[in-house]
Amino acid sequence: MKLEEFKLERYFAKYEFNAPYLLCCSDCQSFTVKELLDLGGEDAFSSFHNLYLGYTESLGNPLLRQQITNQYKSIKAEEVLVTSGAEEAIFIFMNVMLDKGDHVIVQYPCYQSLFEIARSIGCEVTKWEIKEEQNWELDLDFLAQNIKENTRAIIVNSPHNPTGYLMSRKKLAALIDFARRQNILLFSDEVYRFLEYSEADRLDAACDLYENAVSLGVMSKTYGLPGLRIGWIATKNRTVYQKMAAFKDYTSICNSAPSEFLATLALQHWNKLAQRNLAIIKQNLALLDQFFTRYANLFSWQRPKAGPIAFPSIKWEGHVEDFCIDLVNSQGVLLLPGNYYDCGRNKNFRVGFGRQNMPDCLAKLEEYIKEKLL
């Protein structure tokens, strides 16, 4: 296996901890250890101080796995595998379920590992591209036309990174029906679930709907706890589960005991954490709506349906990366140019609005626009 450089992560490695105004982050406002422990009161403080720092169970702490099942309708604790963030789960799934010569179809644009690992294994990858001019909508006809005899898996992400697209229940049902008839694995990246702007739009997890689906979850996005490095998969497919659990012995082996403790505590109060971040998102989204209305001559704005990120585009002759680099160098405002997703017309950029300081970042962006683009 030879992996290409992870372009998006290299970009963040260069700028994320140097730029003072981060306006493209994919996560939500985080919490301190004290804030989490306060949720559990004195018992939580005492338990954390006396936590034993030995090896943990490779499948994940049983209490944590049980808490994770509350995210689903029919999943049991023995159908949950805890991983080191979402990245490890993606890496393991691809390595145990895909072989050289397999064909996969990947919703695109997407987080690079969702296609790059399959490509590095020797798989044939078809990019199921969603387009701005079509409101980022998934085209099921394209899926049907691109299925092959060697198609092993379909990879989707909803709510979607970077567009904020959320497929309808009807479309998800059709997708699952199609995968079931073809006996194809469905890997469903659901890390932004519970950040739908309308609860009525929330989809059931794919693992609750389809016996060959693998649902991906993480503490990083909805709950704003990326520093815990806790993710998981949930699936009813025992073959997938057992193969992933065995492969984990060659990656992280087991998870951090303090991280599992704090993740368990956080998920005991998951709705409170999610609602806090959703309130921040909605307040910031209203500001973005106003901003992009004011500058409709400069930008195209497809309002997202869920999550803390969107993928607007700039109306100018140059390359979007030139705009983003000049912005960060002159104003310290970091946007993510869409070419780091290898998609589109090199006009789109990712904006993130899940953090409390987003209004300050947006104000600095507006200063730049008034100085250089008007």
Side-chain angles (χ1 to χ4, degrees):
M1 172 187 291
K2 185 175 181 180
L3 292 164
E4 296 291 335
E5 185 176 87
F6 206 130
K7 295 192 296 184
L8 181 151
E9 296 298 346
R10 290 298 87 213
Y11 180 83
F12 276 114
K14 182 176 181 179
Y15 292 109
E16 183 177 9
F17 294 98
N18 297 313
Y21 300 99
L22 303 181
L23 191 52
C24 60
C25 295
S26 62
D27 59 350
C28 293
Q29 185 71 30
S30 196
F31 296 83
T32 65
V33 172
K34 183 179 183 302
E35 286 172 324
L36 288 184
L37 292 176
D38 281 341
L39 294 173
E42 289 299 323
D43 288 344
F45 276 91
S46 176
S47 296
F48 190 59
H49 290 164
N50 291 293
L51 182 67
Y52 180 68
L53 295 178
Y55 286 111
T56 62
E57 295 190 34
S58 63
L59 302 180
N61 185 294
L63 294 176
L64 175 56
R65 294 164 71 199
Q66 188 59 50
Q67 283 298 324
I68 289 170
T69 65
N70 293 328
Q71 310 281 297
Y72 306 101
K73 290 185 175 180
S74 61
I75 290 293
K76 300 177 179 133
E78 57 267 29
E79 296 168 329
V80 172
L81 175 67
V82 181
T83 61
S84 180
E87 186 69 89
E88 184 185 29
I90 296 168
F91 184 83
I92 293 176
F93 172 82
M94 301 279 181
N95 273 279
V96 300
M97 298 312 301
L98 301 178
D99 293 313
K100 183 177 181 179
D102 283 344
H103 175 238
V104 297
I105 298 178
V106 184
Q107 181 182 357
Y108 195 81
C110 63
Y111 194 57
Q112 187 173 331
S113 57
L114 290 174
F115 69 88
E116 176 59 36
I117 298 171
R119 186 210 60 79
S120 73
I121 291 168
C123 294
E124 179 187 357
V125 177
T126 295
K127 294 177 179 178
W128 187 7
E129 189 171 356
I130 57 177
K131 299 179 181 179
E132 184 176 24
E133 57 269 25
Q134 296 170 356
N135 299 318
W136 307 118
E137 192 61 61
L138 280 169
D139 180 1
L140 292 179
D141 289 336
F142 177 92
L143 179 66
Q145 292 163 8
N146 283 274
I147 289 291
K148 303 181 179 183
E149 289 186 2
N150 62 332
T151 302
R152 179 64 169 149
I154 300 168
I155 317 296
V156 294
N157 169 213
S158 188
H160 183 249
N161 172 7
T163 67
Y165 165 76
L166 178 64
M167 75 176 84
S168 67
R169 282 194 180 91
K170 182 178 179 181
K171 184 151 287 187
L172 177 60
L175 171 60
I176 288 175
D177 179 64
F178 183 87
R180 180 177 282 121
R181 284 187 283 110
Q182 302 288 334
N183 194 30
I184 294 173
L185 293 168
L186 177 65
F187 188 88
S188 180
D189 179 344
E190 299 165 0
V191 298
Y192 291 106
R193 197 159 166 259
F194 301 109
L195 289 181
E196 302 83 5
Y197 308 150
S198 171
E199 189 172 340
D201 293 335
R202 183 172 302 151
L203 302 175
D204 287 337
C207 61
D208 280 322
L209 299 173
Y210 178 37
E211 61 278 5
N212 289 324
V214 177
S215 289
L216 176 70
V218 77
M219 296 302 298
S220 304
K221 307 303 184 183
T222 298
Y223 306 113
L225 295 169
L228 294 185
R229 308 312 304 140
I230 293 292
W232 64 85
I233 59 97
T235 183
K236 294 183 178 297
N237 186 310
R238 293 308 298 170
T239 298
V240 173
Y241 185 94
Q242 290 165 1
K243 285 185 175 182
M244 290 188 67
F247 192 93
K248 190 185 172 192
D249 294 339
Y250 284 98
T251 53
S252 64
I253 302 177
C254 64
N255 306 300
S256 157
S259 290
E260 288 198 325
F261 177 93
L262 292 171
T264 303
L265 179 59
L267 288 178
Q268 289 171 356
H269 305 273
W270 70 269
N271 192 52
K272 182 175 182 179
L273 271 61
Q275 289 301 315
R276 194 286 301 261
N277 281 335
L278 188 56
I280 293 171
I281 287 169
K282 288 181 175 180
Q283 291 171 0
N284 288 339
L285 183 58
L287 295 177
L288 286 174
D289 285 336
Q290 296 167 15
F291 173 88
F292 284 111
T293 297
R294 283 197 302 276
Y295 298 107
N297 60 317
L298 296 176
F299 302 101
S300 294
W301 171 241
Q302 291 283 351
R303 196 178 199 270
K305 298 179 181 179
I309 51 178
F311 208 44
S313 58
I314 187 167
K315 301 174 182 177
W316 75 335
E317 295 302 319
H319 194 292
V320 69
E321 186 168 12
D322 295 334
F323 161 66
C324 292
I325 297 302
D326 189 55
L327 174 64
V328 72
N329 286 336
S330 61
Q331 289 287 353
V333 178
L334 187 64
L335 294 173
L336 177 64
N339 53 291
Y340 284 85
Y341 288 95
D342 281 336
C343 72
R345 300 163 288 112
N346 292 323
K347 300 297 182 186
N348 294 91
F349 57 92
R350 190 177 80 184
V351 58
F353 47 96
R355 297 187 180 185
Q356 290 173 332
N357 71 335
M358 198 283 293
D360 296 333
C361 301
L362 192 62
K364 296 297 289 185
L365 172 59
E366 191 156 23
E367 286 181 21
Y368 175 89
I369 289 171
K370 290 177 178 178
E371 178 182 336
K372 295 201 173 187
L373 299 185
L374 295 182

